[in-house]
Amino acid sequence: MPSLKHTGNKLFDPQVQLKYLETHINGLNVFDQDLTASGLSPLKPRSLDVLQINVGKVCNQSCHHCHVDAAPDRKESMTTETFQQCLDVVRKNKFSMVDITGGAPELNPNFRWFVSELKKLKVNILVRCNLTIINSHKRFSDLPEFYAENNVEVIASMPYFTKNRTDSQRGDGVFESSIHALQMLNAVGYGMEGSDLRLNLVYNPSGAFLPGDQLALEQQFKKELFDRFSINFNNLYCITNLPISRFLNYLITSGNYQNYMEKLSSSFNPVAAQNVMCREMISVGWDGSLYDCDFNQMLELGVDLESISHISEYDHTALIGRNIRTNQHCYGCTAGTGSSCGGSVV
Ligand code: SF4
Ligand code: SF4
């Protein structure tokens, strides 16, 4: 699938996406009403523990559900200067975790240097890896060793334990390549009993439905991946598809938009809303712009502060006092048991 941006599809325009989101649950914007009724409006941060950095939109894949609209032909990539500004912020502030995402973050030419610099700062490092990058070219085949040397936690996309469902969502050949990559990660200790090297998998539904029970799915994935391919991993995170970017395009073109939004909004869970990930993190875009989360980043909803919009202007006190910008896409994080980059939140 080519990226929406390059097809000239108007739905790529964040303003058009927001218009859909704001008016298409029976013509109402109801998320803020639900938040108010739960005593959570305006939504405020509880801490700033995680710095999530999106290092670019370039990817070796073009998955159907991608909320980043990433693809091989995208050009957006974080520069050395912006990476340096991120390092300065990590050096001066207390984050428990730096969470690196993309695109395929490994395709940014500064990726390995940045990870090595973070290691010197003794902060936990998490990389969101699409797995296939490891087998995409011989220059990436030592990534498992590189991750292990830097004690990186790996979160890897794995939509299902069968070829058909995986390839239909992520592209032909993705399943086999992913299985091989998982075996390579296991071979250096990732996900193995007694090892500190953590390997977590991410499952997201292949259509317009909410994920099932996270624990039950984890047990099923563990059994199937071990029985079929001798693969081990630590945890499975279930993530709800948010109605933005390519998934929004799919919902609208397939006629599922209204039903999906009603499904999400009728499953609003105030406890999940209390635990949404934006209350503990700040998100940096490839150009250094600051957002409440990766999803607001794709909708170009920058942090709600007049004086701060870029990582070079980072001010911990001001950012922790900000109001988080919400809209109807936030139902994706608050439906049922909730959803975050680390899976269910309830
Ligand atoms: S691998 Fe991830 S970033 Fe790349 S296209 Fe697929 S979902 Fe998007
Ligand atoms: S999409 Fe989720 S993480 Fe982002 S602002 Fe809304 S509730 Fe928070």
Side-chain angles (χ1 to χ4, degrees):
M1 174 188 276
S3 73
L4 296 179
K5 181 170 186 163
H6 293 268
T7 60
N9 188 323
K10 284 200 176 62
L11 264 177
F12 179 80
D13 182 342
Q15 296 307 320
V16 177
Q17 292 188 47
L18 277 169
K19 207 164 164 220
Y20 258 100
L21 290 166
E22 277 165 2
T23 57
H24 277 61
I25 301 180
N26 299 324
L28 298 170
N29 181 351
V30 284
F31 184 78
D32 286 342
Q33 292 173 15
D34 281 336
L35 213 51
T36 303
S38 313
L40 287 166
S41 182
L43 196 61
K44 305 286 278 187
R46 287 193 289 220
S47 65
L48 276 178
D49 280 346
V50 178
L51 185 68
Q52 188 175 69
I53 306 176
N54 190 316
V55 303
K57 294 178 189 268
V58 189
C59 190
N60 58 315
Q61 292 182 199
S62 326
C63 307
H64 287 289
H65 64 281
C66 182
H67 74 271
V68 182
D69 196 24
D73 60 350
R74 296 301 295 258
K75 305 283 181 245
E76 300 89 336
S77 197
M78 186 171 276
T79 63
T80 311
E81 185 187 9
T82 310
F83 273 120
Q84 198 66 64
Q85 289 164 342
C86 292
L87 286 172
D88 289 345
V89 167
V90 177
R91 200 171 286 121
K92 289 176 191 154
N93 297 278
K94 278 200 183 317
F95 291 101
S96 63
M97 166 90 66
V98 175
D99 176 343
I100 306 174
T101 184
E106 300 90 342
L107 285 172
N108 186 303
N110 282 310
F111 173 74
R112 292 194 194 216
W113 161 77
F114 185 59
V115 169
S116 310
E117 291 300 305
L118 285 174
K119 190 185 177 206
K120 291 180 200 163
L121 299 178
K122 302 196 187 319
V123 64
N124 293 319
I125 309 165
L126 184 153
V127 172
R128 295 182 186 272
C129 174
N130 70 12
L131 293 176
T132 60
I133 191 68
I134 294 173
N135 300 308
S136 65
H137 189 279
K138 62 179 184 221
R139 73 179 192 274
F140 297 117
S141 60
D142 64 340
L143 275 170
E145 288 84 359
F146 173 78
Y147 288 142
E149 280 158 20
N150 289 282
N151 203 21
V152 168
E153 178 178 337
V154 175
I155 297 206
S157 319
M158 194 68 202
Y160 211 59
F161 46 78
T162 59
K163 179 175 162 49
N164 285 354
R165 268 176 74 170
T166 303
D167 286 2
S168 66
Q169 185 184 110
R170 295 175 75 80
D172 289 344
V174 166
F175 182 71
E176 270 179 31
S177 175
S178 302
I179 292 296
H180 185 211
L182 287 171
Q183 288 167 337
M184 290 167 75
L185 286 160
N186 279 172
V188 299
Y190 271 100
M192 304 300 285
E193 207 177 324
S195 167
D196 289 339
L197 297 171
R198 297 201 54 85
L199 171 62
N200 297 317
L201 302 187
V202 169
Y203 158 88
N204 63 294
S206 53
F209 54 92
L210 267 63
D213 177 71
Q214 183 164 279
L215 195 57
L217 270 166
E218 179 181 285
Q219 284 165 354
Q220 193 183 14
F221 266 66
K222 282 200 168 180
K223 179 175 183 340
E224 296 292 341
L225 285 175
F226 187 80
D227 288 354
R228 295 170 191 224
F229 308 105
S230 304
I231 286 171
N232 292 285
F233 65 95
N234 296 106
N235 293 112
L236 180 79
Y237 297 150
C238 292
I239 295 188
T240 303
N241 289 314
L242 261 72
I244 59 174
S245 196
R246 282 190 201 144
F247 194 68
L248 176 62
N249 183 54
Y250 155 76
L251 290 172
I252 292 168
T253 53
S254 64
N256 279 301
Y257 180 73
Q258 189 79 13
N259 278 347
Y260 189 67
M261 292 306 287
E262 281 168 12
K263 206 176 290 173
L264 290 183
S265 59
S266 62
S267 313
F268 176 79
N269 179 348
V271 182
Q274 277 176 28
N275 296 322
V276 284
M277 61 184 175
C278 50
R279 301 192 75 191
E280 279 156 15
M281 64 179 278
I282 196 82
S283 159
V284 189
W286 68 273
D287 61 354
S289 298
L290 295 177
Y291 303 88
D292 301 305
C293 69
D294 208 44
F295 304 116
N296 282 8
Q297 192 177 135
M298 301 312 144
L299 292 168
E300 296 182 358
L301 293 170
V303 287
D304 191 12
L305 289 170
E306 272 181 22
S307 55
I308 299 168
S309 63
H310 193 268
I311 189 73
S312 58
E313 302 161 332
Y314 188 92
D315 178 329
H316 200 83
T317 308
L319 283 163
I320 211 160
R322 77 192 192 279
N323 291 343
I324 294 166
R325 297 179 75 176
T326 55
N327 205 308
Q328 313 259 81
H329 62 295
C330 298
Y331 275 123
C333 297
T334 57
T337 54
S339 175
S340 73
C341 287
S344 300
V345 296
V346 174

